[in-house]
Amino acid sequence: MPQQSALTTEPIPQLVRRIAVPASIGYFFNTMYNVVDTYFAGLISTQALASLSLSLPVFFIIIATGTGVSTGATALIANALGAGKRQDAKLYAVQGISFGILTALALTALGLLLSPFLFGSWAPKGSTSPWCWIT
């Protein structure tokens, strides 16, 4: 007899809570990371705080890319497991991890190459841009 999924038998509000609570906790810690980052940058100087706000769009591009790769890999793995293709799911997992590592390396290289140009063009000369990259 095939095993039934909880998604088809349990009440919807219970399933939504089971998914929403861990996601909410994750978003809470992401927000707290940014609050703590802002607090300590503010202790350094206003230039450091301004540099932090300049680098925020780059940070979100990195987060969005990682989220996109992991969501896509998760969907492929879930479809393969749902179809009973465990070997395909393992292959998708390995490919997802490999693609994630390659994407991280590419974003790192692009960031190191483009950060002087990006932060130099976003900030007034000599004001906050030295705080945006490691010299």
Side-chain angles (χ1 to χ4, degrees):
M1 178 175 202
Q3 181 182 359
Q4 280 195 328
S5 171
L7 294 174
T8 59
T9 59
E10 291 186 22
I12 292 175
Q14 183 179 355
L15 293 171
V16 169
R17 276 192 302 275
R18 192 180 296 167
I19 294 171
V21 169
S24 298
I25 291 170
Y27 283 120
F28 170 77
F29 282 108
N30 188 10
T31 302
M32 290 310 298
Y33 168 81
N34 290 323
V35 168
V36 170
D37 212 16
T38 302
Y39 173 76
F40 284 108
L43 292 178
I44 295 172
S45 70
T46 55
Q47 289 85 9
L49 190 57
S51 297
L52 187 64
S53 68
L54 285 175
S55 63
L56 196 62
V58 176
F59 174 73
F60 278 119
I61 288 171
I62 293 167
I63 294 297
T65 304
T67 301
V69 169
S70 66
T71 301
T74 301
L76 287 171
I77 293 166
N79 282 331
L81 288 175
K85 300 177 180 176
R86 291 188 63 80
Q87 267 320 105
D88 287 351
K90 288 179 183 179
L91 177 67
Y92 294 147
V94 170
Q95 287 178 341
I97 291 169
S98 301
F99 188 68
I101 291 170
L102 291 174
T103 303
L105 291 173
L107 283 174
T108 300
L110 277 173
L112 291 173
L113 290 173
L114 296 179
S115 64
F117 168 74
L118 288 176
F119 296 124
S121 64
W122 290 347
K125 296 291 181 215
S127 61
T128 59
S129 57
W131 291 90
C132 293
W133 59 79
I134 299 171
T135 55

